């Protein structure tokens, strides 16, 4: 299973599960992440190498250790719009 | 006719970090307090009063949080106030829950929790202007139905929707007896299942109510392509810092000269109006010289705060924290320590309060411990005075860099180095802990509103002038008496060398002589224990009593005749390290809950100050 760290910059993926320490997972969910959510890797931040991730119309910077808590499956890009519509129902 | 005040309505303001809660607070109350486009900036609850016709409405601004929990100090403050458990504070009549309109789903779990504890509340979705600009659309009626509370779409920035919100508060629907609150529906310990359940409910509500999704902000994308560029991003960051320092010197000078001229003129008028009286000497040499010497630095401090306010509120600071995370980690600190340390550049007191966002107690202690090493604005007067007195105004690298700016920057770097080395030491010895996870929201770039910047600057100016009025006036008075008495017999000109101050100073002179300080500097070191900038007023008073008016060029000229360059450098270094600030010691005592940490901190910093000062003087006096 892939984690958020394995995704190339510029791609989107769907969160399918969480792994790791409970308090870290609580924080991640608090910040808006949940299974089924589509996330996009915007860039790696210079100097620090943090992941700049976009989801729920806002952005979050994550350390690689925390990005590893998110298990994801890759999304086919043209599919994206259709899935989002389905998500809204 | 005065309107009858029926009662005071107490309304709490809660919301997620970055929801623009503080801007809304300012907008509603017109009260002066700090707001910033940065997660976790509101740390102390702030109270303001809203002018209404029949009811006085008191707004209480609470620390931003994503959930009601008690993992950090901030979360505890918010939760306790909401549950009416804060001693000395009656329960709230109602709560406004402020969320970022564009990302409201993210903050909905907090709103859902408010329903669970039984408070009366309303939802305020802020930044509606941004929501519209980004093409988002929300079904407000549906959202009201889903949550069963009033919902307001507002923009604290443009003022949109604020009339309706104010009207709702004034209508007094919340004036009745405060409702019964209960903690029963909150878990005693935050579990993943619980948070996920809240998140699922938020998702369902958002799916029903969000009709059009907001698009990414095109400006933020463009700006981040530059500011977070792999190569140019860090370069721009360092160039920005350099520009700030360069302009702190060059831009402030004309303003400072104007203030200086004003005080010299006033002192001149006083001496001419009441010639040769003790009172004139007291007014001109004591009060005006002492206070004036410090007030001169107000423009410079305000320019610094303008930069800090602008960078914070625009959202750039959050990027800086994200870029610097790796460096912070290398020194044993975490990304969350960055904001407290950064605000310590303005003043260590709010910086130390801002450490409440740090969950890990050991990390928090380490951050509190090193915060006073950051060059606070109170050091600015001392640095500027000594640098302009002793460092020649020379261009380097063909005008690209000025020698004075370089030394100035060097002092900041020295302080920061002391902080990181100390943090490293603490974190690898008795404050060792496992690295904590780090996440930080990256807010969209937002143009700071003129009002919020102005309110911020005014607030800082008031704090500065209050310190001048309290500490500096008092210290100057005592000092003037000590330096002017005993009066010599008639006919003999008064000499400061015979004064009580001189006697006092001479007793400590042997201790500080190896660092290159004479007794006058010694007196300054003692008085500046209260606050760093007091040394400037102290020296101004001492030199004035001694007859400095005779010397043109003011305090700088006077310093040059009294001290060698080596002594000047040594004094600069002393101020980089020493913890000369009552307020900081007091706030560390309060935040750490005892005298152990502030005492350790004070003596550690004093030890470094004396050590490095000694080294500087001994080396410099042999070289120069």
């Amino acid at each position: 299973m892939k984690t958020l760290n394995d995704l190339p910059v510029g791609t989107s993926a769907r969160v399918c599960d969480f792994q790791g320490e409970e308090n870290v997972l609580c924080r991640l969910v608090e910040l808006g992440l949940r299974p089924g959510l589509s996330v996009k890797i915007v860039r790696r931040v210079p100097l620090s190498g943090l992941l700049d991730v976009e989801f729920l119309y806002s952005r979050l910077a994550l350390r690689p250790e925390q990005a590893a808590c998110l298990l994801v499956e890759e999304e086919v890009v043209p599919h994206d719009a259709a899935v989002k519509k389905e998500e809204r129902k | 006719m005065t309107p009858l005040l029926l009662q005071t309505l107490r309304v709490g303001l809660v919301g997620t970090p970055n929801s623009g809660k503080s801007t809304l607070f300012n907008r509603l109350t017109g009260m002066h307090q700090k707001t910033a486009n940065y997660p976790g900036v509101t740390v102390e609850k702030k109270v303001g009063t809203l002018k209404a016709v029949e009811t006085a409405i008191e707004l209480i601004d609470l620390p931003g949080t994503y959930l009601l929990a008690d993992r950090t100090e901030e979360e505890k403050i918010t939760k306790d106030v909401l549950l009416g458990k804060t001693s000395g504070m009656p329960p709230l009549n109602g709560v406004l829950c402020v969320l970022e309109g564009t990302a409201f789903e993210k903050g909905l779990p907090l709103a859902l929790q408010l329903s669970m504890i039984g408070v009366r509340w309303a939802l305020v979705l802020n930044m509606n202007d941004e929501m519209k600009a980004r093409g988002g659309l929300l079904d407000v009626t549906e959202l009201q139905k889903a949550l069963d509370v009033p919902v307001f779409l507002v923009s604290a920035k443009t003022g949109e929707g604020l009339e309706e919100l104010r009207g709702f508060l004034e209508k007094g629907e919340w004036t009745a007896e405060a409702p019964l609150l209960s903690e029963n529906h909150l878990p005693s310990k935050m579990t993943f299942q619980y948070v996920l359940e809240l998140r699922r409910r938020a998702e369902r509500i958002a799916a029903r109510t969000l009709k059009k999704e907001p698009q990414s902000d095109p400006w933020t994308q463009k700006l981040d392509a530059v500011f977070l560029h792999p190569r140019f991003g860090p370069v721009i960051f360092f160039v920005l810092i350099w520009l700030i320092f360069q302009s702190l010197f060059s831009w402030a000078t004309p303003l400072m000269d104007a203030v200086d001229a004003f005080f010299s003129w006033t002192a001149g008028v006083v001496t001419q109006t009441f010639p040769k009286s003790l009172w004139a000497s007291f007014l001109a040499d004591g009060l005006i010289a002492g206070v004036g010497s410090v007030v001169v630095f107000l423009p410079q401090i305000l320019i610094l705060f303008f930069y800090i306010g602008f960078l914070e509120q625009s959202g750039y600071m959050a990027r800086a924290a994200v870029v610097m995370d790796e460096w912070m980690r290398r020194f044993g600190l975490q990304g969350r320590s960055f904001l407290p340390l950064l605000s310590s550049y303005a003043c260590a007191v709010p910086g130390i309060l801002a450490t409440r966002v740090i969950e890990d107690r050991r990390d928090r202690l380490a951050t509190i411990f090193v915060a006073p090493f950051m060059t606070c604005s109170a050091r600015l007067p001392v640095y500027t005075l000594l640098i302009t007195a002793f460092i020649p105004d020379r261009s380097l690298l063909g005008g690209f860099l000025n020698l004075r700016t370089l030394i100035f920057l060097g002092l900041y770097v020295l302080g920061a180095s002391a902080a990181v080395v100390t943090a490293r030491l603490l974190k690898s010895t008795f404050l060792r802990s496992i690295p904590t996870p780090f996440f930080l929201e990256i807010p969209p770039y937002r143009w700071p509103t003129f009002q919020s910047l102005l309110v911020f600057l005014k607030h800082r100016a008031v704090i500065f002038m209050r310190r001048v009025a309290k500490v500096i006036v008092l210290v100057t008075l005592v000092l003037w008496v000590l330096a002017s008495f005993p009066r010599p017999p008639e006919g003999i000109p008064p000499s400061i060398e015979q004064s009580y101050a001189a006697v006092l100073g001479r007793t400590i002179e042997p201790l500080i002589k190896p660092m290159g300080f004479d007794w006058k500097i010694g007196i300054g070191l003692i008085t500046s224990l209260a606050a760093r900038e007091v040394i400037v007023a102290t020296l101004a008073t001492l030199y004035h009593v001694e007859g400095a008016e005779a010397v043109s060029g003011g305090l700088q000229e006077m310093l040059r005749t009294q001290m060698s360059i080596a002594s000047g450098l040594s004094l600069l270094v002393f101020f980089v390290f020493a913890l000369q600030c009552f307020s900081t010691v007091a706030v560390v005592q309060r935040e750490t809950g005892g005298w152990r940490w502030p005492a350790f901190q004070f003596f550690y910093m004093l030890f470094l100050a004396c050590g490095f000062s000694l080294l500087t003087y001994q080396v410099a006096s042999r070289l120069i």
Side-chain angles (χ1 to χ4, degrees), chain B residues 317-499:
Chain B
M317 230 46 135
R319 271 100 183 151
V322 169
V323 170
M324 296 306 287
D325 177 61
E326 179 60 28
W327 287 21
M328 298 299 285
R329 193 145 58 147
R330 266 187 222 161
F331 300 117
L333 292 170
Q334 47 158 323
R336 265 171 213 281
S337 303
F338 185 79
L339 173 70
L341 291 183
L342 206 72
S343 51
S344 299
Y345 274 103
C347 174
V349 173
I352 287 165
L353 291 176
T355 61
R356 291 179 184 170
V357 296
I358 303 171
E359 209 173 323
D360 185 278
R361 185 170 155 79
R362 286 156 179 260
D363 278 352
R364 187 167 172 228
L365 277 174
T367 313
I368 290 177
F369 197 91
V370 302
F373 278 120
M374 297 305 172
T375 306
C376 66
S377 56
R379 285 182 177 100
L380 214 55
V382 188
Y383 287 2
T384 310
L385 178 71
L386 291 171
I387 287 175
T388 46
F390 293 106
I391 309 293
D393 192 4
R394 193 180 299 155
S395 288
L396 302 171
L397 303 172
F400 186 67
L401 205 64
N402 185 293
L403 184 61
R404 286 179 173 173
T405 314
L406 190 70
I407 299 282
F408 195 51
L409 204 58
L411 294 170
Y412 274 72
V413 172
L414 192 59
S417 315
V420 295
V421 171
T422 305
R424 186 81 227 216
L425 269 174
L426 286 171
K427 288 301 294 175
S428 52
T429 51
F430 40 94
L431 289 179
R432 196 197 298 257
S433 61
I434 48 161
T436 35
F438 174 65
F439 337 88
L440 194 73
E441 269 188 285
I442 306 179
Y445 286 103
R446 288 175 180 135
W447 197 249
T449 61
F450 184 66
Q451 192 209 13
S452 60
L453 269 181
L454 207 66
V455 157
F456 175 57
L457 287 183
K458 198 175 155 194
H459 180 58
R460 298 313 311 190
V462 167
I463 291 179
F464 180 79
M465 293 308 286
R466 203 178 284 153
R467 272 166 72 124
V468 168
K470 277 189 192 158
V471 185
I472 295 177
V473 168
L474 190 75
V475 172
T476 314
L477 291 191
V478 174
L479 203 70
W480 177 81
V481 171
L482 287 179
S484 307
F485 292 92
R487 298 303 279 185
E490 209 63 44
I492 298 166
S495 161
I496 197 167
E497 300 297 326
Q498 315 299 323
S499 68

Side-chain angles (χ1 to χ4, degrees), chain B residues 540-556:
Chain B
T541 306
L542 289 179
Y543 293 156
H544 260 262
V545 172
E546 204 175 354
E549 308 96 318
V551 188
S552 63
L555 206 46
Q556 275 91 347

Side-chain angles (χ1 to χ4, degrees), chain B residues 31-62:
Chain B
M31 211 191 88
H32 311 151
Q33 64 121 32
K34 195 178 164 186
T35 70
N37 183 14
Y38 194 105
V41 102
T42 321
V43 278
E44 277 191 307
K45 59 177 184 290
K46 288 152 186 141
V47 184
T49 310
L50 194 129
K51 279 187 281 299
V53 191
E54 287 185 354
T55 0
I57 300 166
E58 201 177 83
L59 278 185
I60 297 135
D61 193 7
L62 294 164

Side-chain angles (χ1 to χ4, degrees), chain B residues 562-621:
Chain B
Q562 297 263 347
M563 289 165 81
S564 66
I565 296 184
S567 299
L569 289 175
S570 166
L571 190 58
L572 276 173
V573 168
F574 190 90
F575 271 80
V576 169
F577 295 105
L579 177 52
Q580 301 144 293
C581 181
F582 275 170
S583 325
T584 304
V585 174
V587 81
V588 172
Q589 191 270 336
R590 207 176 69 200
E591 292 298 306
T592 59
W595 284 106
R596 217 162 52 109
W597 281 100
F600 176 31
Q601 190 178 28
F602 181 83
F603 288 108
Y604 173 78
M605 291 179 75
L606 186 65
F607 174 75
L608 285 187
C610 292
F612 278 95
S613 215
L614 186 70
L615 188 74
T616 309
Y617 181 69
Q618 294 303 334
V619 172
S621 58

Side-chain angles (χ1 to χ4, degrees), chain B residues 26-103:
Chain B
N26 279 344
R27 224 11 211 263
L28 286 174
T29 60
M31 211 191 88
H32 311 151
Q33 64 121 32
K34 195 178 164 186
T35 70
N37 183 14
Y38 194 105
V41 102
T42 321
V43 278
E44 277 191 307
K45 59 177 184 290
K46 288 152 186 141
V47 184
T49 310
L50 194 129
K51 279 187 281 299
V53 191
E54 287 185 354
T55 0
I57 300 166
E58 201 177 83
L59 278 185
I60 297 135
D61 193 7
L62 294 164
T65 178
Y66 287 102
L67 279 182
L68 301 181
D70 28 36
R71 295 164 297 189
T72 67
E73 280 306 308
E74 285 209 323
E75 287 175 345
K76 270 181 229 160
I77 294 173
T78 303
K79 188 178 164 191
D80 285 351
V81 172
L82 286 175
L83 286 166
K85 293 204 306 193
T86 310
S87 58
M89 217 170 139
L92 302 165
N93 294 87
V95 175
L96 292 179
C97 178
V98 189
L99 302 181
E100 198 178 351
T102 39

